[in-house]
Amino acid sequence: MPTMADVARSAGVSVATVSHVLNETRPVLPHTRQAVLDAIEELGYTPNTLARSLVTSRTRSIGLAVSAISNPYFTDILQGVEAAALERGYSLLIADPHDDPEHERKVVQLLHERRVDGMIVAPSADPRGLLAYLGRHAVPAVLLDRVIDGRADIAPLFDQVCAENTEPTARLVTHLAALGHRRIGLVAGLPGLSTTAERVTGYRQGLATAGLPLDESLVVPGNSESAVAERATAALMSLAAPPTALVTANNAMTIGALRALRARGLAVPDDIALCCFDDFAWADLFSPRLTAVAQPSKEIGAEAVRVLLERLASPDRPVRTVRLPCTFVHRTSCGCQETDGEDGAAGQDRPAPSRLRSAEVRPARSRQQSARSQRIPQSKRSGHPEHPERPEKGTL
């Protein structure tokens, strides 16, 4: 097996220069660096990662703690993290905290004991134990998706990377209001998560922008889970005055809401309009196709890696929160028309008209009526007054 000395001899440099190239511990002239890399390739030299970590105190590995198994949204984020880490020569160690505070602290400790250089963590609803551990051991870390707002009982602060939540949710509400809806329900996420709080705030802002009153009975907790959202949606539809439109705050809850509506014989959007936060691969295959807010999941993961590596390079730099914009994906579950030849393109949401025409949307039918017999023919469904044509993607 070739050694570092063999590489140095072949490249005509010192062993120390080969070490600097491999460990990036000192700048090396471009032509010298290339000569070393060529020698490594020619000889088939494989660096001893363990020995290198003893010299540099770095393992070139990143710990990732996200609930990727229980939450499909994080699968795309994981792909973004992995691609960005590999591109920069870092390996990835992954653990699933299952959104449980105690398990979260344990898996982070295990990652730390593996001597990862830094961590990317999507914190649970109660991250105090997690943050205390990271702070006590001075672990470089980036908080992912769910942010901490520097509360007095939570310290220290860490870099954070997430999507915009408030404005995109407000846009869903104003879009439905522009279609004439006056009772718009929200199936909210798990209490304690910043994503839940921000999307509830966006819902309230959307109502205010549309000049609609807030009815607390129309906001129900879906706890970010399909089964809970199914029960919550059933409760909403059992109200004396049920909503005529619904916003679901993540992809799992969208599935639960659709199950509940189907169980009651309600058709989307004929009986109730639906918009959701989180687009997903098969949202375009539903009938009707789901109008959604799409988060830049892979970009969030890649950005978290970049921010973490910048932290490793400059430990004393000020902490920061990076928010990435979302995209409004305009399809037909909101009640807008689909023109002949529609190819599945997404639509750019435009400012809602100042006059909201209630005639543009029909209220939910009596629960005793048959969904099939009352379904409006496609040609007669009313659409958004400013979305008559094939939609395109728009950035929020």
Side-chain angles (χ1 to χ4, degrees):
M1 178 179 291
T3 66
M4 191 181 293
D6 296 330
V7 173
R9 248 188 324 270
S10 177
V13 298
S14 67
V15 172
T17 299
V18 176
S19 176
H20 292 320
V21 171
L22 291 173
N23 299 318
E24 299 180 354
T25 49
R26 184 177 299 175
V28 177
L29 291 173
H31 70 275
T32 302
R33 176 182 175 81
Q34 190 58 52
V36 171
L37 295 177
D38 289 344
I40 289 173
E41 178 69 22
E42 180 181 348
L43 296 174
Y45 171 72
T46 302
N48 186 324
T49 303
L50 179 58
R52 185 169 64 182
S53 68
L54 292 174
V55 173
T56 64
S57 297
R58 293 283 181 90
T59 60
R60 295 194 72 82
S61 62
I62 294 172
L64 176 65
V66 296
S67 299
I69 296 174
S70 53
N71 189 339
Y73 161 69
F74 284 116
T75 302
D76 287 340
I77 285 185
L78 189 156
Q79 292 176 6
V81 170
E82 182 181 42
L86 290 176
E87 181 181 347
R88 292 161 176 80
Y90 280 76
S91 60
L92 198 62
L93 277 69
I94 306 170
D96 191 330
H98 301 291
D99 278 334
D100 176 77
E102 182 60 27
H103 190 61
E104 172 181 70
R105 196 202 63 76
K106 289 179 180 178
V107 299
V108 165
Q109 180 177 343
L110 288 173
L111 289 172
H112 183 223
E113 290 172 353
R114 293 296 185 94
R115 297 294 186 263
V116 295
D117 294 340
M119 293 190 204
I120 299 172
V121 185
S124 67
D126 182 8
R128 287 173 294 182
L130 161 73
L131 299 181
Y133 182 90
L134 294 175
R136 184 165 60 251
H137 295 279
V139 179
V142 173
L143 304 184
L144 183 73
D145 185 62
R146 297 128 176 209
V147 300
I148 307 299
D149 294 324
R151 303 193 325 242
D153 62 330
I154 295 181
L157 295 176
F158 294 89
D159 295 315
Q160 306 179 113
V161 177
C162 59
E164 294 284 356
N165 289 292
T166 304
E167 182 183 357
T169 307
R171 184 67 61 87
L172 292 178
V173 174
T174 56
H175 179 70
L176 291 168
L179 291 172
H181 292 281
R182 295 298 178 267
R183 290 185 62 77
I184 302 171
L186 173 68
V187 182
L190 183 67
L193 297 181
S194 65
T195 48
T196 298
E198 291 173 1
R199 290 168 198 177
V200 170
T201 297
Y203 168 79
R204 293 170 179 264
Q205 288 183 2
L207 292 178
T209 299
L212 299 178
L214 172 65
D215 183 343
E216 293 289 357
S217 69
L218 294 179
V219 181
V220 293
N223 286 12
S224 303
E225 298 177 4
S226 178
V228 180
E230 184 174 356
R231 294 192 294 270
T233 303
L236 274 177
M237 302 314 298
S238 297
L239 294 173
T244 62
L246 194 61
V247 174
T248 52
N250 81 351
N251 50 19
M253 293 188 292
T254 299
I255 301 301
L258 287 169
R259 285 199 187 102
L261 296 175
R262 183 181 63 183
R264 301 179 75 85
L266 298 175
V268 177
D270 293 347
D271 302 308
I272 182 168
L274 177 68
C275 290
C276 52
F277 203 106
D278 276 349
D279 198 23
F280 44 97
W282 55 91
D284 195 43
L285 302 178
F286 280 82
S287 180
R289 300 181 307 117
L290 299 179
T291 295
V293 164
Q295 299 190 73
S297 306
K298 292 181 181 178
E299 291 82 355
I300 290 173
E303 182 69 12
V305 172
R306 187 183 69 81
V307 170
L308 178 60
L309 296 187
E310 289 179 357
R311 171 62 53 195
L312 293 174
S314 303
D316 297 327
R317 67 180 301 155
V319 297
R320 67 193 191 278
T321 296
V322 179
R323 287 186 179 268
L324 278 65
C326 294
T327 302
F328 181 92
V329 185
H330 184 208
R331 299 188 181 106
T332 56
S333 65
C334 53
C336 293
Q337 281 187 327
E338 186 170 52
T339 58
D340 292 337
E342 178 66 43
D343 61 0
Q348 182 172 12
D349 190 30
R350 301 175 183 175
S354 58
R355 175 184 292 178
L356 304 182
R357 295 183 290 176
S358 60
E360 290 180 333
V361 63
R362 53 193 290 272
R365 293 190 318 268
S366 166
R367 291 186 287 273
Q368 283 73 38
Q369 290 179 289
S370 162
R372 184 181 300 276
S373 64
Q374 293 297 319
R375 188 167 298 169
I376 298 177
Q378 181 69 51
S379 61
K380 294 184 180 180
R381 294 180 192 170
S382 59
H384 192 299
E386 294 195 19
H387 296 288
E389 301 299 331
R390 179 182 306 167
E392 302 172 353
K393 280 191 177 178
T395 300
L396 291 174

